[in-house]
Amino acid sequence: MMQFMLLFSRQGKLRLQKWFSAYPDRVKKKTTRELITLVLARKPKMCSFLEWKDLKIVYKRYASLYFCCAIERDDNELLTLETIHRYVELLDKYFGSVCELDIIFNFEKAYFMLDEFLLGGEVQETSKKNVLKAIAAQDLLQEDEAVESALKEYGLY
Amino acid sequence: MNVLKAVSMPAPKRLRDLIREIRSSRTAADERAVVNKECASIRESFRDQDNTYRCRNVAKLLYIHMLGYPAHFGQLECMKLIASPRFTDKRIGYLGAMLLLDERQDVHLLITNSLKNDLGHQTQYIQSLALCTLGAICSSEMSRDLAGEVERMIKSSNAYIKKKAILCAFGIIRKVPDLMEMYIPATRSLLNEKNHGVLLTAVCLITEMSEKSPDTLHHFRKLVPQLVRILKNLIMAGYSPEHDVSGVSDPFLQVKILRLLRILGRGDAEASETMNDILAQVATNTDTSKNVGHAILYEIVLTIMGIQSEAGLRVLAVNILGRFLLNNDKNIRYVALNTLLRVVSADYNAVQRHRTTIVDCLKDPDISIRRRAVELSFALINPNNVRGMMKELLYFLETCDPEFKSDCCSNIVIAAAKYSPNKRWHIDTVLKVLTMAGNYIKGDVVTVVIQLVSETSQLHAYSVQQLYRHLSNDISQQPLAQVAAWCIGEYGELLHSSAIEEEEPLQVSNDDVISLLERILINNNSSVVTKEYAITALMKLSSRFTDCSLRLQQVISQYGSSTNVELQQRSVEYSSLFVKFDHMRPALLEHMPLIEAHPHSLEENFLDGQEEVNLLSDSTSSHTNGHGGTPTSQPTENGDIMDILSSSTSPAAVSAGNRGGGAVDLLDLLGDLTMDAPPIINNPVSPSAHNLLDGFLQPASPQNLVNGSSSPSPMAVFNKAGLLVEFTCQRANNDPTRTVINMKATNSSPYPMSDFVFQAAVPKSFQLSLQSPSGTSLPPVIGGHITQVIQLNNPQKQPIRMRLKINYTQNGNMVNEMAEVNTFPLELWQ
């Protein structure tokens, strides 16, 4: 099971944090700081896996963003790389050629996408199509509601 | 009223406007100002109970929270959003709950009610939000409250809800393992589903349950054929665009199933048998041009190693890892080394084949890979390859990062002690370590080296001259200085010797030697311990270099006023030896006797900190069973190795403090075998009784155990140099798997034997217990004898084989003998 996932920029700014276990706030802050420092210090020739405390850290860089996951000792690191890649593909399909700015300005949508792909630290859906379909349907629900309330405001609904 | 309000108060800033504003602030102070202003406005909005824009405000708050600012005042607002009927509100509300409201917050439990309502909502996406949140932040109480709802939803016919509910249950079970029971019935039929999401999550849940409870594992073991079928369909089914990743069909599901198979097959021969074919099939069919193929192969290797797989499959697995090692992708190399490290004990020979590749990895640019390669290299050293391996490892030691040096040194010294082909090589290697590793060497290595040099008497001259050479080049390395100082002190007179192998003899005067030691004492960088060694060495030299007493006396007395108490004390005491007790000086400073060997104490101390390295968490190697978790770095050879050793405590000689010595003997007996925790001692009889009644006390007669049968004739099992050991064996009638052996030892030589210790070892399937011997001395010319009773348990009715180890002292010499006994009569075990 994945313990947490962090997305951060090359300057060390946090763009997304998903915690699948409960930690106190200051532990989260400390962990985030430590890992960002550790990962940013890695040279390009080094492998994508780190050992940290009793967890394995798997990270991959996509353009200006680092995707960093912490998995347990028995988890498959190579598959985690695939999991990260699948998430990026989903974002890419959704935003149309995703870049860091998309994730900054639409961070809540990035979270929604993650929540359709992973749950409790495990992959819940392996079909790209199904994940995107679910997101699209929920976006539609939101839009319908927005239209509804706009119409209500003008007394037309 | 609302219209008025809307006119008088502007709408709160949009989320993206806030983000834009924050990003455009040039300094941290600017950013803080913007954030604080916005927080104030948000707080005011919350106070005014503004429903319309609550969603927007919370979203902004979440962004601010991600930047690192406090956002706890938004917690209650999240709850209000969750309670709203609008999907948009709930979506943000639940997101906020997951970010701000984990179980450590006070208001956490207040969302339980909303969760319960939403779990039963008619819109599946709202149910999904609730399930997602529950899976992310459930606490024990919440889990208990809502477990029933989740269980109901697992049985839903909607695959979308089903899979989420299953993972929710997974999270609940992790939090509250007691709740596992209620989910087992619903789980059983889940593998019949076609939907990949449901299958994946179901396998995940079953895995978690099986790992948590052995009973449940047993229950789910019958699913193995079904899992095999699902896996087979996955790989045979051909291209499915929906689940395809670079030509591999649903790798996530494949890996999950492989992992479950590993857990179900562990320790169970039948289940493992069922999996053999599919494992081989997937291994050969998987396309390895991309990372995803490697991910699957990696999981297969872990599974093969984790179950009771057949030998051919295990070799296949190690070969896959060998191929990984040659891959350009460093991630794959790393993973390979990691796994090889875990399996090296069980499949030693297979891993040996890849030794050259592993050693090449010592030069890899990535530090994690180098670290793994070094550990693995040490595990692969054996008498055949030790020279080559040491060369590589010494080269690595020279160039490696400081964090490695200390462990690497200790390991090299241990390995050299175990596998050195000859003493000269051993000493050379150890000296190289001393000169290369500087001050990174651990303290106990120094003692081990000193002990090694002192016991290798034939090489004393060589050792001390080499050490002198190295020391004169560089006095800054403390361990080297300490060892060298000790040796120079002990064997100073040999510095002039010319009998030192093929090397050029050292040309050095006594004064030079003293000057060198003086330099060490004066140098500020020498540690106190080193100086202590140096001053003691100087003292010893006073009896080796008889012409330099005056100078030595001068040097030593200088430290009588040293600020360091240790040095001062030594100096004063040594000085007084010169002045007041000069007559005792030569006797006091004679050569030290042979230091009792604890060659493996370094290993024991060292290995204690290395537990995770060689413990096979997955492997079911039967060799490691029953070893009480003691880690070793030695390969286990298979089948007929005797690893249970039982020894009697010889009453007078062996005290508790001598356990170390006993351990050495045992290790010697077993040679290159894995060593257990201290051997089983079966000696309830008090030793003191034996001391008093030595020779008179008869051992506990085995007659009450063996009834009826006529006493068979004794068989001689050892006869050498006057020592005759005979076995008289009888099979216990009431228990055919038990044999009782009476050992009798006699001494026909003209000299008495004392400190007689008899030890025996048997193959794994046997149990052996030795009772106390009748005594420990054998008078000459068969003036008496020693008897000892051996009880042997042979539950598997194997042919009896025994290895003997006999120690005794005669004429002041310690004699060690070993023998093997294979000639036990057939009637004893058939």
Side-chain angles (χ1 to χ4, degrees), chain B residues 565-689:
Chain B
V565 178
E566 283 275 342
L567 282 178
Q568 195 191 101
Q569 180 185 7
R570 280 164 204 240
S571 162
V572 169
E573 285 176 3
Y574 292 157
S575 297
S576 71
L577 256 188
F578 274 117
V579 174
K580 282 195 265 180
F581 301 101
D582 205 41
H583 53 283
M584 286 172 60
R585 194 166 44 85
L588 275 173
L589 298 173
E590 261 181 29
H591 282 290
M592 290 180 78
L594 199 62
I595 301 171
E596 189 170 288
H598 292 254
H600 297 274
S601 64
L602 180 63
E603 183 177 0
E604 281 157 18
N605 291 340
F606 184 61
L607 283 176
D608 281 343
Q610 293 265 310
E611 307 221 305
E612 59 182 270
V613 171
N614 294 310
L615 280 178
L616 299 165
S617 47
D618 273 344
S619 167
T620 56
S621 164
S622 52
H623 309 125
T624 55
N625 285 341
H627 275 212
T630 311
T632 71
S633 63
Q634 286 167 311
T636 315
E637 307 195 9
N638 32 21
D640 36 26
I641 297 309
M642 308 173 179
D643 63 357
I644 300 176
L645 185 76
S646 171
S647 81
S648 62
T649 50
S650 166
V654 184
S655 63
N658 244 4
R659 172 64 63 227
V664 174
D665 292 339
L666 297 169
L667 284 166
D668 287 342
L669 175 66
L670 297 173
D672 55 346
L673 309 171
T674 52
M675 195 47 227
D676 236 352
I680 312 142
I681 304 296
N682 281 317
N683 275 315
V685 185
S686 80
S688 54

Side-chain angles (χ1 to χ4, degrees), chain A residues 45 47-48 51 125 142 145, chain B residues 87 91 331 334 366 372:
Chain A
K45 279 243 179 303
C47 71
S48 299
E51 256 138 53
E125 180 59 67
Q142 265 195 262
E145 269 182 358
Chain B
F87 178 72
R91 224 181 178 191
N331 293 332
Y334 174 87
D366 183 335
R372 293 274 163 306

Side-chain angles (χ1 to χ4, degrees), chain B residues 10 60 157 165 297 411 486 489 492 530 553-554 686 705 707 768 784:
Chain B
K60 284 186 288 187
S157 55
L297 281 182
N411 271 322
W486 188 91
T530 311
Q553 209 174 344
Q554 272 176 341
S686 80
L705 302 168
N707 33 21
L768 184 74

Side-chain angles (χ1 to χ4, degrees), chain B residues 653-755:
Chain B
V654 184
S655 63
N658 244 4
R659 172 64 63 227
V664 174
D665 292 339
L666 297 169
L667 284 166
D668 287 342
L669 175 66
L670 297 173
D672 55 346
L673 309 171
T674 52
M675 195 47 227
D676 236 352
I680 312 142
I681 304 296
N682 281 317
N683 275 315
V685 185
S686 80
S688 54
H690 284 279
N691 276 340
L692 294 174
L693 304 173
D694 200 4
F696 292 98
L697 189 72
Q698 298 302 310
S701 166
Q703 292 308 315
N704 53 344
L705 302 168
V706 180
N707 33 21
S709 43
S710 56
S711 50
S713 54
M715 59 189 238
V717 297
F718 181 89
N719 193 348
K720 186 176 168 190
L723 177 65
L724 172 69
V725 176
E726 291 169 313
F727 279 175
T728 311
C729 311
Q730 260 178 328
R731 204 170 183 181
N733 269 3
N734 54 351
D735 181 359
T737 61
R738 248 186 330 137
T739 308
V740 179
I741 303 172
N742 282 322
M743 184 279 290
K744 181 169 155 189
T746 47
N747 173 10
S748 59
S749 75
Y751 305 105
M753 297 174 181
S754 57
D755 301 317

Side-chain angles (χ1 to χ4, degrees), chain A residues 4-146:
Chain A
F4 55 83
M5 182 191 277
L6 303 171
L7 265 69
F8 49 88
S9 70
R10 303 243 287 133
Q11 286 77 38
K13 285 202 115 77
L14 194 63
R15 298 299 179 205
L16 190 146
Q17 51 173 333
K18 184 76 184 177
W19 299 83
F20 295 106
S21 280
Y23 300 104
D25 242 346
R26 57 182 168 72
V27 171
K28 284 192 208 172
K29 280 210 161 78
K30 184 154 174 278
T31 305
T32 311
R33 262 200 320 264
E34 250 180 72
L35 280 176
I36 292 183
T37 321
L38 271 175
V39 171
L40 288 177
R42 303 274 285 179
K43 304 199 219 6
K45 279 243 179 303
M46 299 175 117
C47 71
S48 299
F49 310 128
L50 267 178
E51 256 138 53
W52 184 78
K53 308 235 173 119
D54 59 337
L55 297 171
K56 298 198 263 205
I57 307 291
V58 180
Y59 71 92
K60 192 147 184 223
R61 194 176 134 217
Y62 287 86
S64 57
L65 262 187
Y66 281 90
F67 287 69
C68 176
C69 298
I71 55 175
E72 295 177 322
R73 288 186 73 192
D74 288 334
D75 290 330
N76 185 328
E77 301 97 307
L78 297 177
L79 193 71
T80 310
L81 282 175
E82 291 300 318
T83 309
I84 294 177
H85 191 73
R86 173 55 67 91
Y87 180 49
V88 173
E89 282 181 325
L90 288 168
L91 290 173
D92 193 62
K93 244 326 189 329
Y94 182 67
F95 286 111
S97 220
V98 67
C99 62
E100 192 184 343
L101 273 181
D102 290 322
I103 300 187
I104 295 172
F105 278 95
N106 301 288
F107 71 93
E108 80 276 17
K109 300 210 173 69
Y111 275 109
F112 297 149
M113 181 71 73
L114 193 60
D115 287 338
E116 280 299 324
F117 178 47
L118 301 175
L119 202 161
E122 294 281 348
V123 175
Q124 58 174 293
E125 180 59 67
T126 55
S127 155
K128 259 191 281 192
K129 193 177 71 169
N130 287 349
V131 174
L132 294 167
K133 235 177 23 178
I135 293 283
Q138 291 176 72
D139 284 348
L140 199 55
L141 258 184
Q142 265 195 262
E143 272 173 44
D144 284 346
E145 269 182 358

